C-alpha cells in the first residue's frame, strides 16, 4: 500500500536544502586596494587643484586636464629629476615648467599632494605660491618662471591617518632667462646666414677663377 509512505511525506516534508555559511566578506589585499586606487586615478579626466598664495588663508578650486604621455625632447625642454627620480621638472623653452611625478607606494589612503615652492634671492630664500592637488593628479604646470632664478619644489603626499606620510620629493632647477634665449636664437640665425653667404662667395670666386682667368692665361701669342 502507498498510504504509509504518503503520510510520512506529509508529516516530515521534503528535505531542506543545504545552507551555506554566511560570514563577513574578507577584506581586499593591500595590493588589490592599491591597484584599484591607481586605476581610479588613471581614469580620472580632471586634476583638481588649489593655489594658495603666500600669506593668504585659502585659494579657489580649479581643474585642469592632465598631460598624460608627455615626453621631454632635447630641443624643446630640459628635464631635472629629484633624487630617486620620483619627481621630474620639465623646463620648457617658453619659460613654463611641467612637473610630473609617480604615485607613492603604497597608494592606499592617498588624499592628495601638497606642492611647496621657493626660490633663491641674493641673500636669502623666498617662498612662492603653494599648491594643493587631488589624489588623481600626476602633473602640474607652472605657467611662468623667472629667468636666472634657482627654484626648489617639494611634493609631499597626503594620506589618511593613522598611516605615516611618505617622504617628500624635492627637485631644484634654474630657468634660462628669456633674453639669453633670444640672443642664442638670433646668433644662430645670423651665424647660419653668414655661413650661407661665405659658401656663395667661395663658389663665385671659384667660378670666376675657372672661367675667366684660365682662358686668358692659355691664349696663343700673335707673331
Amino acid at each position: 500500500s502507498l498510504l504509509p509512505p504518503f503520510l510520512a511525506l506529509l508529516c516530515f516534508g521534503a528535505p531542506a536544502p543545504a545552507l551555506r555559511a554566511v560570514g563577513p566578506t574578507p577584506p581586499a589585499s593591500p595590493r588589490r586596494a592599491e591597484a584599484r586606487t591607481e586605476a581610479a586615478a588613471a581614469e580620472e579626466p580632471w586634476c583638481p587643484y588649489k593655489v594658495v598664495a603666500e600669506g593668504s588663508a585659502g585659494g579657489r578650486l580649479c581643474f585642469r586636464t592632465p598631460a598624460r604621455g608627455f615626453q621631454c625632447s632635447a630641443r624643446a625642454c630640459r628635464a631635472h629629476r629629484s633624487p630617486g627620480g620620483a619627481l621630474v621638472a620639465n623646463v620648457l623653452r617658453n619659460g613654463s615648467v611641467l612637473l610630473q611625478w609617480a604615485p607613492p607606494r603604497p597608494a592606499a589612503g592617498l588624499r592628495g599632494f601638497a606642492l611647496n615652492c621657493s626660490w633663491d634671492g641674493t641673500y636669502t630664500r623666498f617662498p612662492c605660491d603653494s599648491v594643493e592637488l587631488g589624489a588623481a593628479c600626476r602633473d602640474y604646470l607652472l605657467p611662468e618662471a623667472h629667468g636666472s632664478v634657482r627654484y626648489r619644489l617639494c611634493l609631499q603626499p597626503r594620506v589618511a591617518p593613522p598611516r605615516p606620510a611618505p617622504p617628500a620629493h624635492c627637485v631644484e632647477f634654474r630657468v634660462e632667462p628669456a633674453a639669453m634665449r633670444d640672443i642664442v636664437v638670433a646668433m644662430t640665425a645670423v651665424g647660419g646666414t653668414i655661413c650661407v653667404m661665405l659658401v656663395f662667395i667661395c663658389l663665385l670666386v671659384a667660378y670666376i677663377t675657372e672661367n675667366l682667368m684660365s682662358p686668358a692665361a692659355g691664349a696663343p701669342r700673335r707673331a
Side-chain angles (χ1 to χ4, degrees):
S1 176
L2 298 178
L3 183 59
F6 181 73
L7 294 176
L9 181 62
L10 292 178
C11 294
F12 295 101
L19 299 178
R20 293 183 299 175
V22 179
T25 304
S29 62
R31 293 184 179 179
R32 292 183 178 179
E34 181 178 347
R36 292 177 181 176
T37 303
E38 293 181 0
E43 295 177 358
E44 187 70 26
W46 300 102
C47 169
Y49 69 96
K50 183 185 298 185
V51 179
V52 181
E54 182 65 21
S56 63
R60 185 179 62 180
L61 182 63
C62 302
F63 296 88
R64 62 179 300 270
T65 305
R68 296 189 179 95
F70 174 83
Q71 294 182 355
C72 181
S73 60
R75 296 182 179 180
C77 70
R78 184 177 180 183
H80 302 265
R81 299 181 180 274
S82 63
L87 178 62
V88 181
N90 300 298
V91 182
L92 306 178
R93 293 186 60 182
N94 59 1
S96 59
V97 181
L98 178 64
L99 300 174
Q100 294 177 312
W101 60 87
R105 301 289 183 174
L110 180 64
R111 287 187 172 181
F113 302 91
L115 181 64
N116 298 319
C117 172
S118 61
W119 56 277
D120 285 337
T122 305
Y123 301 102
T124 184
R125 179 178 290 271
F126 297 94
C128 45
D129 296 344
S130 59
V131 185
E132 298 177 0
L133 302 112
C137 299
R138 295 294 180 266
D139 54 44
Y140 180 72
L141 180 65
L142 296 175
E144 295 181 0
H146 299 287
S148 300
V149 174
R150 187 169 186 82
Y151 282 88
R152 177 180 174 85
L153 299 176
C154 294
L155 185 71
Q156 175 65 59
R158 292 181 174 180
V159 296
R163 297 177 180 270
H169 300 280
C170 300
V171 61
E172 295 185 2
F173 59 90
R174 186 184 299 274
V175 180
E176 183 181 357
M180 184 60 66
R181 292 195 303 269
D182 296 339
I183 291 175
V184 171
V185 172
M187 291 181 64
T188 303
V190 172
T193 305
I194 293 176
C195 291
V196 173
M197 292 178 63
L198 289 176
V199 172
F200 179 76
I201 292 174
C202 292
L203 293 176
L204 182 61
V205 171
Y207 175 80
I208 294 175
T209 304
E210 181 71 20
N211 295 277
L212 298 181
M213 301 298 294
S214 298
R221 297 180 180 180
R222 293 183 180 179

